């Protein structure tokens, strides 16, 4: 249990640092405006998650899933975990549940942020 927690913690530090670095790099290359840094991190993280899941399964390296999937890629972007879960539902033939998961995740997350902003502004004003 502690070993797994340490894997996740170490991986999370690596992933979050990589996200920050990539965000700075993309911003320097593209400039401000459209959030390409976040988009790039989400797409790259999801791509690497796909590669990692297959590679670890084929090579019997699932013991590194906490480090790589939850830690590094989760710290880099939680969108990669979201993508993996949505894909898993689709792969199981549960397209309706996948669509509901995608719509609810995006809609409820934006709604939660909106409510948090409203509450925060009300408490701070």
């Amino acid at each position: 249990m502690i070993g797994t927690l340490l894997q996740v913690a170490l991986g999370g530090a690596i992933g979050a640092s990589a996200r920050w670095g990539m965000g700075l790099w993309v911003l320097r290359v593209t400039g401000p405006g459209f959030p390409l840094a976040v988009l790039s991190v989400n797409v790259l993280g999801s791509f690497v998650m796909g590669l990692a899941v297959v590679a670890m399964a084929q090579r019997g390296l699932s013991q590194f899933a906490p480090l790589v999937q939850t830690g590094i890629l989760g710290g880099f972007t939680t969108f990669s975990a979201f993508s993996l879960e949505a894909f898993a539902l689709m792969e199981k033939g549960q397209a309706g549940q996948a669509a509901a998961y995608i719509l609810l995740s995006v809609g409820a997350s934006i709604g939660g942020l909106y409510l948090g902003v409203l509450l925060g502004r009300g408490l701070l004003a």
Side-chain angles (χ1 to χ4, degrees):
M1 175 76 166
I2 295 296
T4 302
L5 177 63
L6 291 175
Q7 283 187 50
V8 172
L10 174 63
I14 293 167
S17 298
R19 178 183 64 228
W20 178 77
M22 184 166 173
L24 285 178
W25 179 77
V26 170
L27 187 60
R28 286 181 183 151
V29 170
T30 64
F34 190 80
L36 282 174
V38 172
L39 178 62
S40 299
V41 164
N42 287 341
V43 172
L44 179 61
S46 295
F47 172 75
V48 174
M49 178 68 85
L51 287 176
V53 166
V54 172
M56 286 190 288
Q58 289 179 346
R59 291 177 175 83
L61 299 172
S62 61
Q63 70 271 22
F64 296 110
L67 172 70
V68 176
Q69 292 174 231
T70 306
I72 296 172
L73 293 172
F76 190 63
T77 171
T78 56
F79 204 83
S80 60
F82 164 75
S83 299
L84 177 61
E85 290 171 346
F87 179 79
L89 287 170
M90 289 184 274
E91 198 169 45
K92 292 177 190 172
Q94 299 171 332
Q97 285 188 355
Y101 177 63
I102 292 165
L103 291 172
L104 284 170
S105 293
V106 173
S109 294
I110 292 171
L113 179 106
Y114 179 72
L115 291 174
V117 167
L118 290 179
L119 180 62
R121 287 180 179 165
L123 292 174
L124 298 174

